[in-house]
Amino acid sequence: MKIGVIGTGYVGSVTGACFAEMGNTVICVDKDQKKIDQFCSGKVPLHEKGLDELVERNLKNKTLTFTTDLADTLKKCDILFIAVGTPPNEDGSADLSHVLGVATSIGQLMDHELIIVDKSTVPVGTAEKVSKNIAAELLKRGIEIPFHVVSNPEFLAQGTAVKDFLEPSRIVIGADNAKVIDTMRELYEPFMRREGRFFAMDAKTAEIVKYASNCFLAAKISVNNELANICSKAGADFDNVRKAMGADPRIGEPFMYAGPGFGGSCFPKDVKALVKTAKDFGYDAQMLTQTLNTNEKQKFVLSQMVIDKLGKDLQGKVFGVWGLAFKAGTDDMRESSALTIINELIARGARIQAHDPESMKMAQSAEYFGDNSSITYFENKYEALQDADAMLIITEWKEFRTPDFEEIKKLLKAPLIFDGRLLYEPKKMKELGFEYGSIGR
């Protein structure tokens, strides 16, 4: 099939590369010339496992191209995916200006029948708004061209997005035209190796599915963090609690971990957006609001452990920090707990020696820590611990799971570790001579 993808961010680039991998002819379009030049040269300007190889291979096979020319893209495609950003507004609602701006451009430029697919995460009713924008522009042009707007939410986790797209847990299609649904089924057929993964419904229902999924997972994380905090106070071990709970098929093992709070581009934004949507319809989504409140509180738990141990005044203290990204497998710093934890320690006079396998460049951008003189970055994780008063683990990178503990002990001023990810066994750490504190224990 001939496919266009508008937007070459995290969702758009993965969508385009994966459709091309299955033999479709895909054009990805973006107004950012620098980003397009990077993609055209095979250099993917974001960190996502396996994406580089897909882009390089399909550029070579000429099944994937990148351009800034939207008009030409519209002429050459039959299915057009909108995958632009929907950042949160101050009131928590999703900013649809980019999505609706694209819809307006489509109406101004399209010259043949198109299936237009909302791939961006958007609130209920967006498909209708996209449809109205396109129709309004066609009316201004005085022409009638048939088009169909489809809701097709993405369920991609950063760090495993390529795998998630190639081996989807489900495909959700929101449309009211049987022929269009059949076309979308045909497009996704190569990805559905098992039956029962294709769900067709109306557009509004499909739009809710993505928000509902992320809100449920975010709530599950917040419940686990609350339970972990109770375990810490009661002297229980949350790691054993979660394992026993997860054995119940009604609860399940996935996402049964405690940590320093969820972050990233999806969970915080999507929970806020659904709370705002509920409010717009006259409903107070109290549990979702509490999920957000619990999460914000959780981001201070690790720094509070440090304060409880070393005091409120941390002037002159140095902390070796492992992990800056909101989770392993990505360089994304959006809503990362590391931002809250590190800023809290610095505000109390501490200095930070930080290491992250992927996100240190991102961390130094003006959007995050910038040129903060209280933070020094190290390419080597052990060098970040040299003469530090304690070690903090914030992100659960695999390379942090089995470190050289003897080397760590030599480097630290005192064998003191604060673990936000429950990576190590307390008994083992005690045997190795460490004073070890972790969330949930």
Side-chain angles (χ1 to χ4, degrees), residues 75-371:
K75 284 182 172 66
K76 294 177 178 177
C77 72
D78 298 313
I79 303 175
L80 186 67
F81 285 82
I82 300 175
V84 295
T86 54
N89 290 312
E90 288 186 10
D91 63 357
S93 63
D95 180 356
L96 295 178
S97 60
H98 300 299
V99 171
L100 297 181
V102 167
T104 297
S105 296
I106 293 170
Q108 293 169 344
L109 298 169
M110 65 184 293
D111 63 0
H112 64 280
E113 184 174 359
L114 283 174
I115 295 175
I116 296 119
V117 185
D118 285 337
K119 198 68 174 171
S120 302
T121 300
V122 293
V124 63
T126 300
E128 287 183 1
K129 293 179 180 179
V130 168
S131 226
K132 287 179 181 177
N133 273 35
I134 296 171
E137 294 304 318
L138 290 174
L139 183 62
K140 289 178 186 178
R141 293 167 63 189
I143 58 176
E144 291 186 12
I145 302 173
F147 67 91
H148 315 275
V149 178
V150 174
S151 176
N152 173 216
E154 52 84 12
F155 302 98
L156 309 177
Q158 286 177 266
T160 59
V162 170
K163 184 177 184 296
D164 293 342
F165 199 105
L166 295 174
E167 301 172 16
S169 59
R170 73 277 207 199
I171 303 296
V172 174
I173 300 297
D176 56 9
N177 183 296
K179 185 178 178 182
V180 169
I181 291 172
D182 287 342
T183 300
M184 295 302 294
R185 189 192 303 273
E186 182 182 350
L187 175 62
Y188 277 107
E189 191 66 38
F191 303 95
M192 296 186 291
R193 297 178 182 176
R194 285 185 281 176
E195 293 293 325
R197 297 190 177 229
F198 188 88
F199 299 89
M201 58 196 72
D202 63 90
K204 286 185 177 180
T205 303
E207 288 165 341
I208 285 283
V209 170
K210 173 60 185 292
Y211 283 116
S213 297
N214 279 355
C215 286
F216 186 88
L217 293 173
K220 190 172 184 180
I221 291 171
S222 284
V223 168
N224 285 329
N225 284 334
E226 288 277 60
L227 293 173
N229 294 337
I230 294 170
C231 286
S232 291
K233 298 292 185 182
D237 187 341
F238 176 72
D239 198 42
N240 285 325
V241 170
R242 72 165 185 86
K243 289 174 183 176
M245 286 175 62
D248 185 331
R250 297 170 301 171
I251 297 173
E253 186 178 350
F255 272 71
M256 287 299 293
Y257 292 92
F262 58 76
S265 63
C266 293
F267 285 5
K269 175 175 72 73
D270 291 354
V271 177
K272 290 173 186 175
L274 193 54
V275 168
K276 178 61 169 60
T277 296
K279 186 177 180 181
D280 290 343
F281 285 101
Y283 182 75
D284 182 9
Q286 293 183 22
M287 196 190 78
L288 297 184
T289 300
Q290 187 57 47
T291 293
L292 292 169
N293 293 339
T294 298
N295 190 59
E296 286 307 304
K297 183 177 69 174
Q298 190 66 19
K299 291 182 178 183
F300 287 94
V301 169
L302 196 62
S303 57
Q304 189 59 50
M305 289 170 61
V306 174
I307 293 164
D308 289 345
K309 176 66 180 177
L310 300 177
K312 294 179 180 179
D313 183 2
L314 299 176
Q315 194 70 40
K317 298 293 184 183
V318 178
F319 297 99
V321 173
W322 282 9
L324 298 170
F326 86 91
K327 73 172 201 175
T330 181
D331 62 351
D332 198 340
M333 291 281 297
R334 283 174 289 186
E335 303 266 0
S336 173
S337 300
L339 299 169
T340 302
I341 295 164
I342 289 174
N343 282 329
E344 175 69 12
L345 297 179
I346 290 174
R348 294 176 180 274
R351 297 193 74 261
I352 304 297
Q353 298 177 171
H355 168 79
D356 188 284
E358 295 293 342
S359 68
M360 290 193 293
K361 182 178 179 181
M362 185 71 70
Q364 294 173 72
S365 68
E367 187 177 356
Y368 300 113
F369 294 122
D371 57 358

Side-chain angles (χ1 to χ4, degrees), residues 13-14 17-18 21 38-39 41-60 64 66 162 358:
S13 58
V14 171
C18 289
E21 181 73 2
Q38 287 178 296
F39 274 113
S41 66
K43 296 178 181 177
V44 177
L46 54 91
H47 178 75
E48 187 57 53
K49 184 178 180 181
L51 184 57
D52 302 68
E53 293 87 343
L54 283 187
V55 169
E56 183 179 2
R57 179 163 58 248
N58 287 287
L59 282 172
K60 184 178 180 181
L64 179 64
F66 294 88
V162 170
E358 295 293 342

